[in-house]
Amino acid sequence: TSLVGTSNADFAPGDPGMYQLDVTLRRGQNLAARDRGGTSDPYVKFKLGGKEVFRSKTIHKNLNPVWEEKASILIDNLREPLYIKVFDYDFGLQDDFIGSAFLDLTSLELNRQTDVTLSLKDPHYPDHDLGTILLSVLLAPREEQREATMLMRKSWKRSSKVTSSMQSFFFSSEERWSMWHRIYCPSDCVFITLFWGILGIDLTKSVVFSPLKFQTQSLRLSDLHRKSQLWRGIVSVTLIEGRELKAMDANGLSDPYVKFRLGHQKYKSKIVPKTLNPQWREQFDFHLYEERGGIIDITVWDKDAGKKDDFIGRCQVDLSTLSKEQTHKLEMPLEEGEGFLVLLVTLTASAAVTISDLSVNLLEDPKEREEILKRYSPMSMFHNIKDVGFLQVKVIRAEALMAADVTGKDSDPFCVVELNNDRLLTHTVYKNLNPEWNKIFTFNIKDIHSVLEVTVYDEDRDRSADFLGKVAIPLLSIQNGEQKAYVLKNKQLTGPTKGVIYLEIDVIFNAVKASIRTLMPKEQKYIEEENRLSKQLLLRNFIRMKRCVMALINAAYYISSCFDWDSPPRSLAAFMLFIFVVWNFELYMIPLALLLLLAWNYFLIVSGKDNRQHDMV
C-alpha cells in the first residue's frame, strides 16, 4: 500500500468521535483467473469488524475490471482495519475466492484524498501473484456525531433515571459502543432511542439526536418501527416471454428456462418445451437490501435431460437506473447469445416486514394495538383482500445449542425467521451456546395456512453458515402471547437436534379474508436453499433399488430351476400350470392375475407367516 501523509495512530483508542470513510473502488489489475476460459467474473466485498459493509457489482469475463463505485462507511474505531475481499462470481455455485487485502485506517491522513494500491493475497498460497485493487479513500471526522455524543453525555449526567453504573457501561467500553453502533445504526435516531429503551427509559419521552439538532420529543412506536426495517424495498419481476432465442437442440428448437439472481436471492422459472418464443407469464419478488439499488443477473438455459444444460445467453438489470413506484417494461437483448427477454420490473417501498428491539413492541402500545385490530376487524373485510393478518414474533433466546466451531466448544449463532418469501434475521451472538437475541419481527400475513419457520445457524466468516436447528410452526396452531420453548429439529423436521429456542408469537387476522385466500393457489416460495446431495437419501434409494433387482434375479432363478427339474414335483406342477394357462388363456385374465397375488399375501398375513420387514418410510 502506498500512502503519503501523517499517521492517525496517536489518536486515543477510546476517542468516542465518529469518522466517515469515503471509498471509491476504482479498478482491478491483473486479477487471478478462476474460470475455465482463463478469465474471471470479479466483484469486491468490504468488511469491517467481521461484517460486510459494501459489495460491488460483478464485472463479467474481465481480469482488469473497472468499477468506479463509491461507498461511505462510518468508522468508530480507527484501529480496526478495512478488509477487502475479491471473489469470482459463479452462477448457481459457490463463488471462488480470488484474494484479499487489509487497509490500515491509522495510516490515512485526515481530510485528504488518497489513492491506494492494494496487492491481493491468499493465506493458503502466500507466494502467488493474485493482482491488485486500486482505491481512492478520504477519511474525515464526523463533527456532528462528536457534538451529539457530548450533548448526550451531559444529558445523561443530568438525568435522575440513569445511574452512574449505566453511564460507565455506555461510555467506558469502546467495544460495547462499536457493537451497539453496528447493530442499531440504520440512523442515529434509531440507535439512541433503542438504547435508551433497553436501559428502561420511557420511550414515549425518548431523546432524539440528529446531526443538526438535539431535542426531546414524543415518538410513536410505529414511526420508530418503520425506521428499523431490514430491507429498503421490494423488486417485483414479471417474466413475460422470450423472443427469437437461440436453437440448442437437434430439432432446431430449445427447452428454455431462466435463472435470476439478486445478491444471495435466486429464482428459477419453469421450463417451456420445444420453442424459441417461450411464454412464461411468471411473477415473483426480490427484497432490495441496498438503498442505491442492485443488479439482477439473468441467464437463459436450455434443459437437456441426462446432460448438462446448454447456455443460451445472459443479461443484467441495473435497478439504480429505474425509478421507484413505477412499472418498467424492459426488452433485454441477450449477451453471448441470441434473442430477447421481455420483463416487467417494479420497485416499491416495503413497510410490511420489520425487525426491532424488544423495547419497540407494537402490541403493547394501546393505540397501535387498536389500529391493528381495527385494520383486521370484520368491518374491514373488503379493504385490501390480500392483507389477511398481522404476525409478531419475539425471538427471545436459545439454550444448549450444538457446538459448531472448530474448537468444538462454542458457536456463533444467529436466527433466521421466515414466512413464505419474507425472510429476516437477528444479529450474531459470538462464542455462546445460550444466546439472547431479544428481537421482535413483524410480518403481514397473506395466507393463514402458512407455516412460520425459525432456523438457527452458526456464522462462519468466510464460508456458508452451519445449520444448528429449525422449528416450523403453523400459524393456526399459535397461542397468542404465550412464551414457549420449542425443541430444535433437523432440516427435514423428522427428528430433534440439540437445543431449544424460546419464542412468543401473536397472530391477528381477518377470518373472512383468510377464507377467501384459502380458495386461491398457495404462494410459491422463491428464496430456497440450493439442493445439495444427501448421502443418507442416496444410500436409502440404492438399498431400495438393490431390493428390486434382487427380487427379479431370485424370480429368474426360480423359473430356471423349474426347467432344470431340480425338484421334479415342482417342475411337473409348473408344466401342468403352463399347459392350463396356454389352453385357457384370454386377454381379460391379465388384470385378474393380480387377484392371485392379493390372495397369496392375504393368506400369509392370516396364517402369521408374513415375516417381511416393511419400509415405513
Side-chain angles (χ1 to χ4, degrees):
T1 305
S2 57
L3 296 174
V4 180
T6 60
S7 171
N8 300 317
D10 55 344
F11 283 2
D15 184 9
M18 300 292 296
Y19 298 87
Q20 178 171 318
L21 180 67
D22 293 326
V23 184
T24 302
L25 175 61
R26 297 292 185 192
R27 61 187 183 273
Q29 291 182 344
N30 302 321
L31 300 184
R34 291 289 185 260
D35 293 339
R36 293 181 180 178
T39 184
S40 292
D41 305 317
Y43 68 90
V44 180
K45 288 182 181 180
F46 291 169
K47 285 191 172 184
L48 190 67
K51 299 296 181 182
E52 182 178 321
V53 294
F54 171 76
R55 175 183 290 201
S56 73
K57 63 184 179 182
T58 302
I59 306 295
H60 292 283
K61 298 186 182 303
N62 201 327
L63 297 181
N64 296 280
V66 177
W67 285 285
E68 294 296 338
E69 293 188 61
K70 296 182 179 180
S72 294
I73 305 169
L74 289 179
I75 308 292
D76 58 353
N77 182 6
L78 290 177
R79 298 187 182 277
E80 202 167 66
L82 183 66
Y83 190 22
I84 296 98
K85 301 180 71 174
V86 185
F87 291 89
D88 166 54
Y89 169 70
D90 286 332
F91 187 87
L93 303 173
Q94 185 173 1
D95 296 340
D96 298 322
F97 177 72
I98 294 180
S100 62
F102 288 95
L103 176 61
D104 184 7
L105 301 180
T106 61
S107 303
L108 299 177
E109 183 179 358
L110 293 178
N111 298 315
R112 180 176 177 179
Q113 191 86 17
T114 307
D115 293 329
V116 180
T117 301
L118 300 175
S119 297
L120 299 178
K121 298 293 182 183
D122 188 341
H124 300 290
Y125 306 99
D127 299 330
H128 288 194
D129 182 12
L130 304 176
T132 57
I133 292 292
L134 278 68
L135 307 174
S136 181
V137 296
L138 173 63
L139 181 65
R142 291 287 296 270
E143 296 297 335
E144 63 275 8
Q145 295 284 350
R146 194 182 301 242
E147 179 183 355
T149 304
M150 296 305 296
L151 287 170
M152 183 173 61
R153 282 187 179 181
K154 295 177 182 179
S155 174
W156 195 291
K157 292 177 181 178
R158 288 196 299 265
S159 174
S160 60
K161 294 183 179 181
V162 183
T163 64
S164 60
S165 63
M166 291 181 181
Q167 180 183 355
S168 173
F169 173 87
F170 187 79
F171 289 107
S172 64
S173 172
E174 180 185 3
E175 181 181 356
R176 290 170 183 157
W177 172 276
S178 174
M179 176 184 68
W180 283 106
H181 184 270
R182 279 196 293 269
I183 294 174
Y184 297 113
C185 200
S187 67
D188 301 329
C189 167
V190 174
F191 165 59
I192 300 300
T193 310
L194 286 178
F195 206 98
W196 280 60
I198 292 169
L199 295 177
I201 298 176
D202 186 4
L203 276 176
T204 60
K205 301 177 181 178
S206 299
V207 180
V208 182
F209 301 91
S210 70
L212 301 176
K213 60 184 179 180
F214 169 66
Q215 61 181 4
T216 303
Q217 67 179 26
S218 175
L219 281 183
R220 290 189 63 190
L221 286 175
S222 59
D223 298 334
L224 180 60
H225 208 66
R226 277 192 287 269
K227 293 181 182 180
S228 58
Q229 296 170 19
L230 186 66
W231 50 72
R232 303 287 183 176
I234 294 177
V235 183
S236 179
V237 180
T238 303
L239 174 60
I240 300 178
E241 63 182 1
R243 297 176 183 169
E244 303 174 2
L245 300 184
K246 186 176 181 180
M248 306 301 294
D249 295 339
N251 56 7
L253 300 173
S254 294
D255 305 316
Y257 66 92
V258 185
K259 291 182 179 180
F260 295 82
R261 175 168 170 171
L262 177 62
H264 296 293
Q265 304 173 80
K266 300 175 184 177
Y267 174 74
K268 177 180 175 181
S269 75
K270 64 184 179 183
I271 300 170
V272 182
K274 299 181 181 179
T275 180
L276 298 180
N277 298 282
Q279 299 284 326
W280 283 288
R281 311 286 180 178
E282 295 184 57
Q283 190 274 334
F284 56 93
D285 296 331
F286 284 131
H287 294 133
L288 189 61
Y289 290 86
E290 302 176 16
E291 190 170 9
R292 61 183 177 83
I295 294 179
I296 302 179
D297 290 309
I298 307 172
T299 53
V300 186
W301 301 82
D302 167 56
K303 181 66 177 178
D304 283 335
K307 297 189 299 181
K308 184 178 179 181
D309 295 345
D310 297 322
F311 176 76
I312 295 180
R314 65 156 35 99
C315 59
Q316 289 184 332
V317 177
D318 188 353
L319 299 178
S320 62
T321 62
L322 303 181
S323 56
K324 296 183 178 179
E325 308 298 339
Q326 181 180 346
T327 299
H328 305 267
K329 184 177 181 180
L330 306 178
E331 294 188 8
M332 308 295 298
L334 296 179
E335 301 174 3
E336 306 174 35
E338 301 175 4
F340 298 82
L341 284 184
V342 181
L343 309 170
L344 295 179
V345 181
T346 308
L347 276 69
T348 58
S350 173
V353 184
T354 58
I355 174 175
S356 67
D357 193 79
L358 276 182
S359 57
V360 185
N361 190 341
L362 285 179
L363 296 181
E364 289 183 2
D365 182 12
K367 291 184 179 179
E368 296 290 341
R369 186 180 184 89
E370 183 179 349
E371 286 189 9
I372 294 172
L373 291 174
K374 183 179 179 181
R375 194 196 319 170
Y376 301 109
S377 66
M379 302 298 295
S380 305
M381 68 179 70
F382 298 111
H383 177 69
N384 194 356
I385 296 296
K386 294 183 178 180
D387 186 11
V388 171
F390 172 86
L391 171 67
Q392 177 176 282
V393 183
K394 293 182 183 178
V395 180
I396 302 171
R397 68 183 188 277
E399 293 180 354
L401 295 179
M402 185 190 310
D405 286 352
V406 178
T407 60
K409 296 181 180 180
D410 294 304
S411 289
D412 303 322
F414 67 94
C415 192
V416 177
V417 183
E418 296 179 81
L419 184 69
N420 294 329
N421 287 309
D422 294 328
R423 180 185 178 100
L424 298 174
L425 66 156
T426 68
H427 60 280
T428 303
V429 180
Y430 292 98
K431 305 296 180 184
N432 201 324
L433 297 180
N434 301 285
E436 291 191 11
W437 292 291
N438 293 323
K439 294 292 177 188
I440 294 180
F441 302 86
T442 64
F443 301 87
N444 273 16
I445 300 173
K446 300 177 184 177
D447 187 353
I448 196 60
H449 298 284
S450 301
V451 177
L452 175 69
E453 297 182 2
V454 182
T455 312
V456 182
Y457 293 95
D458 169 63
E459 180 185 298
D460 282 333
R461 293 193 176 184
D462 296 324
R463 294 181 298 167
S464 58
D466 296 325
F467 175 85
L468 297 181
K470 178 180 181 179
V471 294
I473 309 166
L475 298 185
L476 288 175
S477 67
I478 292 172
Q479 299 293 327
N480 283 353
E482 179 184 5
Q483 187 178 135
K484 204 171 178 182
Y486 294 88
V487 177
L488 295 174
K489 297 184 178 181
N490 56 26
K491 286 186 179 181
Q492 293 76 27
L493 300 172
T494 55
T497 185
K498 193 175 181 182
V500 295
I501 187 168
Y502 289 84
L503 307 173
E504 184 179 328
I505 311 174
D506 290 273
V507 176
I508 299 174
F509 67 97
N510 184 291
V512 177
K513 292 182 181 179
S515 302
I516 296 174
R517 181 63 183 83
T518 303
L519 303 176
M520 301 178 185
K522 183 180 178 181
E523 180 181 1
Q524 183 180 356
K525 190 170 183 179
Y526 302 118
I527 306 174
E528 296 182 345
E529 292 186 358
E530 297 180 16
N531 294 326
R532 297 182 179 178
L533 181 64
S534 171
K535 294 181 180 179
Q536 294 181 350
L537 182 61
L538 182 63
L539 179 60
R540 193 166 65 204
N541 289 336
F542 175 77
I543 293 174
R544 287 177 175 173
M545 184 63 68
K546 182 180 177 181
R547 288 177 183 170
C548 295
V549 173
M550 291 305 298
L552 294 176
I553 293 175
N554 291 333
Y557 280 138
Y558 186 84
I559 296 173
S560 177
S561 67
C562 293
F563 286 98
D564 293 338
W565 292 85
D566 292 339
S567 173
R570 187 177 64 194
S571 298
L572 184 60
F575 177 68
M576 298 301 296
L577 178 63
F578 174 76
I579 293 178
F580 176 79
V581 169
V582 171
W583 188 270
N584 298 281
F585 174 74
E586 298 288 346
L587 287 177
Y588 72 86
M589 295 181 181
I590 294 178
L592 296 180
L594 297 176
L595 294 177
L596 298 177
L597 181 61
L598 182 65
W600 174 250
N601 287 331
Y602 178 75
F603 170 76
L604 291 178
I605 295 173
V606 171
S607 61
K609 296 181 179 180
D610 186 13
N611 297 323
R612 294 173 295 174
Q613 294 181 353
H614 295 282
D615 187 356
M616 299 306 295
V617 177

